[in-house]
Amino acid sequence: MTKFKSLHPVLWTESWEETIQFYTGILGFTITEKNQIWKWASLQRDGIRIMVSTPNAHESIVKIGFTGSFYFNISMIDDF
């Protein structure tokens, strides 16, 4: 039986550099790949991987929005 092994969500943002700074500077993620031309980056921390990107011309997005939540389960939250 096939099992899902991981999830790497892509978060669209209008503030690409600021989003990267939040995840790296505040949450401690590191950049594993970054493309200035395409405005796309892959970030990771402790086995968690996310991608951040500005929408490209192939997407029919009028306004960026999010209709959910991300829950990061971490140990020692008080120390964080």
Side-chain angles (χ1 to χ4, degrees), residues 11-37:
L11 306 177
W12 286 338
T13 178
E14 294 171 344
S15 304
W16 187 65
E17 288 288 350
E18 292 87 348
T19 301
I20 292 170
Q21 287 300 317
F22 172 76
Y23 278 92
T24 58
I26 303 296
L27 298 182
F29 280 71
T30 58
I31 299 169
T32 57
E33 292 183 60
K34 185 176 179 182
N35 188 302
Q36 289 286 115
I37 296 170

Side-chain angles (χ1 to χ4, degrees), residues 10-79:
V10 177
L11 306 177
W12 286 338
T13 178
E14 294 171 344
S15 304
W16 187 65
E17 288 288 350
E18 292 87 348
T19 301
I20 292 170
Q21 287 300 317
F22 172 76
Y23 278 92
T24 58
I26 303 296
L27 298 182
F29 280 71
T30 58
I31 299 169
T32 57
E33 292 183 60
K34 185 176 179 182
N35 188 302
Q36 289 286 115
I37 296 170
W38 293 354
K39 299 291 186 201
W40 174 90
S42 180
L43 312 169
Q44 71 88 27
R45 178 178 174 174
D46 302 329
I48 302 295
R49 291 177 49 188
I50 61 170
M51 295 170 273
V52 294
S53 175
T54 57
N56 59 46
H58 303 292
E59 304 296 336
S60 59
I61 297 174
V62 176
K63 183 173 170 116
I64 294 174
F66 183 73
T67 60
S69 300
F70 287 103
Y71 291 90
F72 292 90
N73 295 313
I74 66 173
S75 61
M76 302 171 61
I77 187 69
D78 292 332
D79 293 341

